[in-house]
Amino acid sequence: KQEVTQIPAALSVPEGENLVLNCSFTDSAIYNLQWFRQDPGKGLTSLLLIQSSQREQTSGRLNASLDKSSGRSTLYIAASQPGDSATYLCAVYTGGGNKLTFGTGTQLKVEL
Amino acid sequence: KAGVTQTPRYLIKTRGQQVTLSCSPISGHRSVSWYQQTPGQGLQFLFEYFSETQRNKGNFPGRFSGRQFSNSRSEMNVSTLELGDSALYLCASSLVQGGGEQFFGPGTRLTVL
């Protein structure tokens, strides 16, 4: 059974800092990994999708890496802004279950 | 291009009632998945529909059911509501079945009293 863990559970940083969010998964037989952000009471916004054959993806100030063999992914946020405050979720798509398995999320607060 | 839409956005029901939630995917997307989100359990997969057929089902009781129409719109039904069914129900659409990038709607907040 695939299990996804995100560390830390919560993070508070001053504006402008570069930060790294971590995601680990137990079953390396994944099709892809997707990072989302969720604002309070809202749906999920897709940030980046990394296919199992890829090592990283970039979008603006965001960079996500994937090390499938070790079961790890990191989301790097450069020059953080208060608007980045949200919960960040990673999810892996595993062929065996044919579904997305989500981590518990990292709640990020970027302060002025 | 319009995103995934879900209706209604909020629902209040009492125990024992049944409820139907609706999801309209992004135009051209044929896969629709449903998820339940609660503070205690996080996000859990309910089921996925593709071309009007349920392709995969999560570990939920039979009270949870769904269907997909020929225009790819999907409905989810929960019968005999329990207090523990209170949650945010999220729908996601994807261009392909199984492993495509998932795009989520804003969710339906269900409260069971």
Side-chain angles (χ1 to χ4, degrees):
Chain A
K1 179 189 171 189
Q2 178 74 271
E3 292 182 3
V4 182
T5 305
Q6 291 185 248
I7 294 172
L11 184 60
S12 183
V13 300
E15 182 180 14
E17 273 207 5
N18 302 324
L19 51 100
V20 174
L21 307 182
N22 296 292
C23 171
S24 60
F25 45 94
T26 55
D27 183 355
S28 62
I30 65 169
Y31 282 176
N32 58 48
L33 182 146
Q34 201 166 348
W35 282 93
F36 298 90
R37 69 172 278 168
Q38 185 175 31
D39 294 283
K42 303 288 181 63
L44 278 63
T45 300
S46 177
L47 297 173
L48 290 163
L49 171 73
I50 310 178
Q51 300 293 348
S52 61
S53 58
Q54 297 176 315
R55 299 285 294 196
E56 66 177 323
Q57 280 283 1
T58 299
S59 176
R61 294 182 294 110
L62 305 179
N63 176 276
S65 66
L66 173 64
D67 185 343
K68 201 173 78 158
S69 60
S70 68
R72 292 174 184 269
S73 175
T74 60
L75 179 67
Y76 176 83
I77 303 176
S80 57
Q81 303 170 357
D84 294 331
S85 298
T87 296
Y88 289 80
L89 295 149
C90 75
V92 295
Y93 196 93
T94 308
N98 264 357
K99 62 176 185 176
L100 273 180
T101 302
F102 281 86
T104 48
T106 293
Q107 190 172 4
L108 172 65
K109 184 175 181 181
V110 181
E111 299 173 315
L112 289 168
Chain B
K1 194 184 245 188
V4 179
T5 58
Q6 292 187 244
T7 56
R9 293 293 311 280
Y10 303 91
L11 268 176
I12 300 176
K13 294 285 187 179
T14 56
R15 279 180 299 175
Q17 288 187 308
Q18 76 166 19
V19 67
T20 299
L21 313 181
S22 180
C23 171
S24 292
I26 292 171
S27 178
H29 285 197
R30 295 168 60 195
S31 170
V32 174
S33 299
W34 289 89
Y35 294 83
Q36 180 196 65
Q37 186 177 31
T38 59
Q41 299 296 318
L43 272 151
Q44 292 186 290
F45 173 76
L46 281 156
F47 27 65
E48 178 188 15
Y49 285 87
F50 184 83
S51 293
E52 303 177 63
T53 302
Q54 187 181 92
R55 301 292 177 161
N56 194 20
K57 190 176 192 305
N59 189 26
F60 278 81
R63 299 184 297 107
F64 291 82
S65 63
R67 59 178 174 168
Q68 187 180 33
F69 301 95
S70 59
N71 62 357
S72 295
R73 188 178 70 85
S74 177
E75 288 182 347
M76 189 189 93
N77 184 275
V78 188
S79 62
T80 319
L81 284 166
E82 302 177 358
L83 295 179
D85 297 333
S86 294
L88 180 66
Y89 289 88
L90 293 162
C91 156
S93 79
S94 178
L95 196 57
V96 298
Q97 185 228 336
E101 186 172 5
Q102 302 283 311
F103 296 90
F104 281 77
T108 294
R109 172 73 63 184
L110 171 65
T111 302
V112 182
L113 303 175

